[in-house]
Amino acid sequence: MQIKTNGRPKRFKKVLLTTLVTLPLLLGSTVSAGQLPDGQFIGGYSSDTAGAGYSNYPAGENRVAPRSALPDKLDLRKADLDGDGVTEPSYVTNTKQQSPWGTCWAFGALSAVESNYIKTTGSAAEDVDFSERYHAWFGYELDHGEGIQPVKNAVQRLNFGGNRNISATVLSSWSGPAEESAAPYQANDGDTESMDADWSLPDSLIRDSQSMSDARVQNIDFLPGTATFTDQENHQGYVYSEAVTQAIKQAIVENGVVEVSYSAAVSLPGQDPDESYMNLKNKAHYTYEYAMANHVVSIVGWDDNYSVENFNKGHQPEANGAWIVKNSWGSYEDKPDEAWEANKDKMPVDRQGYFYLSYYDQSVCDITSYQVDTDTDGLFAYDNNYQYDYLGLKSPDSRKPSEAGCSGMTANVFTAAADELLQAVSVTTAEPDCTADIQIYKVAAGTADPTSGQLVAEQKSESLPYAGYHTIALEEAVPLKAGESFAVVETIKNRDGNGYAPIERGSGEVVASEDETVPVAEAENTVRYIADVAEGQSFLYKDGAWVDLAKDGPDGVDKEGNALQTGNVMIKAFTTNVDSFALTGMSIEALNAEGQSLGSQQVTEWSKVTLPEGTAAIRLTPATEGEGTLTITAAGQTVNTETPVSKDLFLQDGLVFTTQATGPRGNNTEVSTYRLSFEIKATQGAGEETGTGSNGTEAEKNNAADKNAGTGIDENRTVMVLGAAAVLLLLAAGLGILYWKRKGSH
């Protein structure tokens, strides 16, 4: 099944996963979302620093590229990023309220996406608002038959929790972001407080998502974490990374707000804030020991000199420095002073909805930077997204993403839906410091070897400093014809030279969404992870040969023993439409010497056109399809289509029409040429020559024109052909009679 964004057979072989390894997604322990005493809400997230993407370097081995000089303090709400002494408008959207659901993961991701959109477009922050309800709802909606499918308590999916891997899958498939107006953060009856109200969204909405905003996410950097451990698996031996802190700061300067996860001080209904990590007076948070992240927020800036004295006595960070963090629990900015005064001592955020998070927090993980492509003058960078991996990074398998012996060579085969230019491909990595070799082949339809065709493009060792989802532009675009199959082949190696295969993997078994240790029968919420693959789509190079993942994709089991299903390779291909312009016909109006109309005919075939007697000039009206330019010449002169053309021009040499596409992309240089010759119908009198006939009545002129309407073919020539055909038929009939007479005499 060819999928192009704008029932598949499968046969699995159950074997233990060996060299095939996949990118991880941990939906591990989801902390139950709950109501704060002041009516605000937190929670609904799950992650694990040890396995949520393997985006860290080992402790003490951080090799982040050197960064440029950065200020001691920066706040994107009021920043001077270009150093000219002038504070730019805010790059941060307003503080939002996630209540009553556990959708912090959607708010954290879209806060970063909104900020990058503001930086990219120069939009005012108050004018930018993407829909968290849409994002969170379709995070648990099947897309093209793949994804996380809610089973039990599906209507409560907004409380299922999530993380950046779900966000990355939804956004990279171009399923959003949608404008807030398309799916406001409220129930269908307008209720904003009750979980019992109907918050559902129609399935059809996802098919319209690409036109719901003028933003598309094309790059997602899974930045290394500042909290590393010498014993990463058991989270022992904490080591703070200054180099990563600098990398995060640089990402904020270059791309805007970044998403971050941490262990929040409040997570259960009616619970007072846990003051062991949070200093409520100063709104300063510091987790002094490892704790699994349970909340997603966004970093809008930093302060290197934020004092350790602002954190709780007895458990203060090892040095000054903190991130300025935007939360999703609303704000008190527009509420009366007395309301804030009555609640501020128990609030883990300030009046604007912000708090400080120490650089040295040991729960910090999943730091993510999003970069968008925007609709500029009606065009995105790419028109089409060829993809199969709609489960993608939502996959539940949490295996290490690379192993010695894995070739790391995978491929997807696509078929062009129209004449297009292949401009870029995606590369998905799970570790920093990776490289990717990219090859593009033209292949036969149904090929079992994606490298069997013509190699038409190749790029070696694309450097990928961070884990995540990357769009790699091809050095030269590859022309594709409609119906033409092409293979995108990628070889990905990690910093140790080991390869790995970014392949989605599902599990048809029902599992608990809130906690993988909870028996399914006791779980409040359950889901399935659905992966599907058809023959001829995705391939893995293994043991010296290509394996079609639909035929012989190893399934294996996850770490809990649940059976896994092989899906597609996580490779996308991005194309632009080729500008098209065609001359589909021509209206030719005959005029007499006085400029009076003798009738019109529509020409759709380019040959000789017969005009009615008395024609002294013609007026041309071209019919075209697409966007482009049309040039008409006659006898070496350019013809103005608004002005009649004298027969002295068109009778001798005919007319030449040249067309060229000058559509929105300007990517078609092909020139098409059409030619027409003409004759004027002679009078019926003897001795009259073609082109010299006398004028007849108006009715005769119109009748003569009507006979040729819609053909553009010389009527006299047609009559001659028909006459010759009749003679041949009569001759054949006579020969047939003679043959049968002779046969009967024997």
Side-chain angles (χ1 to χ4, degrees):
M1 176 179 174
Q2 172 66 46
I3 299 297
K4 174 186 177 184
T5 296
N6 252 38
R8 296 187 278 186
K10 60 181 179 179
R11 178 167 55 91
F12 292 111
K13 181 180 180 182
K14 298 268 185 177
V15 297
L16 184 65
L17 182 67
T18 53
T19 59
L20 174 61
V21 286
T22 64
L23 293 168
L25 168 68
L26 289 188
L27 292 179
S29 300
T30 303
V31 176
S32 299
Q35 199 72 22
L36 289 173
D38 62 355
Q40 296 185 341
F41 189 80
I42 180 177
Y45 175 75
S46 59
S47 187
D48 182 355
T49 304
Y54 292 91
S55 58
N56 278 359
Y57 294 93
E61 296 185 19
N62 290 292
R63 298 193 295 275
V64 178
R67 300 288 167 169
S68 59
L70 295 166
D72 292 342
K73 183 176 181 179
L74 182 139
D75 187 337
L76 290 180
R77 292 174 291 177
K78 45 185 177 182
D80 174 19
L81 296 183
D82 54 16
D84 63 358
V86 178
T87 299
E88 283 97 6
S90 175
Y91 293 111
V92 185
T93 51
N94 65 301
T95 305
K96 301 179 185 181
Q97 172 63 275
Q98 71 180 70
S99 177
W101 298 104
T103 51
C104 61
W105 60 279
F107 282 81
L110 291 186
S111 175
V113 173
E114 289 169 342
S115 180
N116 184 255
Y117 178 84
I118 292 168
K119 282 181 60 63
T120 302
T121 62
S123 301
E126 59 268 23
D127 295 334
V128 179
D129 191 1
F130 296 137
S131 172
E132 292 81 13
R133 177 186 170 201
Y134 173 89
H135 186 74
W137 183 266
F138 282 113
Y140 287 88
E141 187 72 18
L142 296 185
D143 189 356
H144 293 81
E146 291 194 329
I148 307 177
Q149 181 183 48
V151 178
K152 184 178 179 182
N153 206 20
V155 296
Q156 295 285 306
R157 69 180 69 182
L158 296 181
N159 242 16
F160 281 15
N163 58 27
R164 68 175 176 186
N165 288 8
I166 299 179
S167 292
T169 302
V170 171
L171 293 170
S172 65
S173 68
W174 291 1
S175 296
E179 297 285 354
E180 177 69 13
S181 57
Y185 201 76
Q186 62 186 30
N188 291 322
D189 62 0
D191 188 289
T192 59
E193 299 179 358
S194 174
M195 291 185 182
D196 294 326
D198 179 14
W199 288 70
S200 66
L201 292 173
D203 295 347
S204 59
L205 196 59
I206 197 168
R207 290 191 289 273
D208 300 327
S209 61
Q210 293 179 61
S211 60
M212 286 185 183
S213 76
D214 53 356
R216 289 175 179 168
V217 173
Q218 287 294 154
N219 287 282
I220 306 172
D221 289 334
F222 289 0
L223 299 172
T226 53
T228 64
F229 300 87
T230 54
D231 180 356
Q232 189 79 4
E233 183 175 353
N234 297 304
H235 305 100
Q236 299 295 318
Y238 167 75
V239 179
Y240 163 71
S241 173
E242 171 64 31
V244 170
T245 299
Q246 293 300 106
I248 296 169
K249 290 178 180 179
Q250 190 72 25
I252 293 171
V253 171
E254 293 175 354
N255 302 318
V257 169
V258 300
E259 174 188 7
V260 65
S261 304
Y262 77 110
S263 180
V266 182
S267 60
L268 297 176
Q271 183 184 48
D272 290 330
D274 181 354
E275 297 186 55
S276 60
Y277 298 149
M278 170 64 77
N279 183 308
L280 290 175
K281 178 182 178 181
N282 298 320
K283 316 306 179 190
H285 188 283
Y286 168 56
T287 308
Y288 54 82
E289 59 190 350
Y290 171 75
M292 182 178 287
N294 63 2
H295 191 45
V296 181
V297 289
S298 54
I299 298 174
V300 307
W302 67 84
D303 185 351
D304 289 345
N305 299 313
Y306 191 79
S307 175
V308 296
E309 298 298 322
N310 291 316
F311 298 92
N312 288 337
K313 303 297 182 183
H315 290 293
Q316 292 178 338
E318 59 189 74
N320 293 342
W323 303 110
I324 304 170
V325 179
K326 172 188 171 185
N327 215 321
S328 53
W329 304 336
S331 74
Y332 275 78
E333 282 190 291
D334 57 352
K335 296 180 181 178
D337 292 343
E338 54 268 24
W340 169 245
E341 291 297 325
N343 289 280
K344 68 178 184 179
D345 291 338
K346 58 186 177 183
M347 288 292 295
V349 292
D350 65 16
R351 189 167 184 174
Q352 289 73 43
Y354 287 76
F355 68 97
Y356 286 91
L357 180 64
S358 171
Y359 290 161
Y360 301 91
D361 189 287
Q362 294 189 32
S363 70
V364 166
C365 62
D366 292 4
I367 302 159
T368 311
S369 174
Y370 298 83
Q371 294 106 63
V372 303
D373 174 32
T374 60
D375 182 352
T376 304
D377 297 328
L379 293 175
F380 288 97
Y382 313 110
D383 295 314
N384 311 295
N385 181 351
Y386 287 86
Q387 56 184 323
Y388 303 123
D389 54 324
Y390 293 96
L391 175 64
L393 288 170
K394 297 179 185 180
S395 300
D397 189 15
S398 57
R399 295 178 184 275
K400 194 176 187 301
S402 63
E403 294 180 356
C406 178
S407 72
M409 192 173 183
T410 57
N412 271 351
V413 174
F414 303 103
T415 302
D419 289 355
E420 299 169 8
L421 293 175
L422 177 61
Q423 302 276 11
V425 299
S426 73
V427 176
T428 300
T429 59
E431 297 176 271
D433 276 354
C434 287
T435 59
D437 292 343
I438 300 166
Q439 297 172 312
I440 310 297
Y441 290 85
K442 297 284 188 72
V443 296
T447 184
D449 180 351
T451 60
S452 61
Q454 177 189 6
L455 178 64
V456 292
E458 185 172 22
Q459 290 179 211
K460 291 286 189 179
S461 299
E462 289 288 339
S463 178
L464 305 167
Y466 300 127
Y469 168 80
H470 320 281
T471 296
I472 306 298
L474 300 180
E475 294 169 358
E476 291 188 14
V478 176
L480 301 170
K481 291 295 185 182
E484 190 171 37
S485 294
F486 63 99
V488 182
V489 180
E490 296 181 355
T491 304
I492 304 173
K493 301 285 186 179
N494 71 356
R495 60 180 172 270
D496 298 321
N498 295 326
Y500 63 90
I503 297 172
E504 59 181 359
R505 287 159 65 79
S507 174
E509 299 182 31
V510 177
V511 296
S513 71
E514 65 268 29
D515 189 337
E516 59 193 7
T517 64
V518 175
V520 172
E522 301 174 13
E524 181 180 354
N525 309 312
T526 61
V527 297
R528 287 189 182 94
Y529 297 90
I530 307 299
D532 200 4
V533 57
E535 291 186 19
Q537 291 181 343
S538 292
F539 300 85
L540 169 72
Y541 193 75
K542 181 180 177 183
D543 299 330
W546 284 102
V547 174
D548 188 324
L549 294 182
K551 295 180 179 180
D552 198 21
D555 296 334
V557 295
D558 66 14
K559 63 181 181 180
E560 282 74 46
N562 297 313
L564 292 172
Q565 299 172 330
T566 298
N568 286 102
V569 174
M570 293 183 228
I571 294 176
K572 304 180 191 292
F574 302 102
T575 68
T576 55
N577 298 326
V578 175
D579 291 336
S580 62
F581 183 73
L583 180 63
T584 59
M586 184 75 69
S587 173
I588 302 175
E589 182 182 16
L591 305 172
N592 63 17
E594 289 74 36
Q596 297 173 328
S597 177
L598 303 179
S600 298
Q601 57 181 300
Q602 302 297 320
V603 173
T604 57
E605 298 178 13
W606 310 104
S607 57
K608 179 174 286 187
V609 177
T610 300
L611 298 170
E613 58 182 315
T615 298
I618 55 175
R619 181 180 288 118
L620 306 172
T621 305
T624 61
E625 193 173 80
E627 297 182 60
T629 59
L630 174 67
T631 302
I632 303 176
T633 60
Q637 300 183 34
T638 300
V639 175
N640 183 340
T641 57
E642 300 298 322
T643 303
V645 181
S646 168
K647 69 177 182 180
D648 295 335
L649 286 177
F650 66 78
L651 275 184
Q652 182 177 357
D653 296 317
L655 296 179
V656 178
F657 309 84
T658 59
T659 65
Q660 183 174 359
T662 55
R665 294 199 175 276
N667 59 11
N668 189 353
T669 60
E670 183 178 350
V671 176
S672 298
T673 302
Y674 307 84
R675 299 177 184 275
L676 272 179
S677 59
F678 298 85
E679 66 178 5
I680 298 176
K681 187 177 181 181
T683 60
Q684 298 302 312
E688 296 279 348
E689 293 183 358
T690 299
T692 61
S694 60
N695 292 331
T697 64
E698 190 69 24
E700 290 173 337
K701 296 168 186 173
N702 290 335
N703 184 56
D706 290 341
K707 288 181 181 179
N708 290 289
T711 64
I713 299 174
D714 180 359
E715 182 187 28
N716 291 336
R717 183 179 298 173
T718 303
V719 171
M720 291 174 63
V721 170
L722 290 175
V727 172
L728 288 173
L729 287 173
L730 289 173
L731 179 59
L735 291 173
I737 293 171
L738 180 60
Y739 170 77
W740 283 108
K741 284 183 177 180
R742 289 182 177 179
K743 183 179 180 181
S745 65
H746 289 283

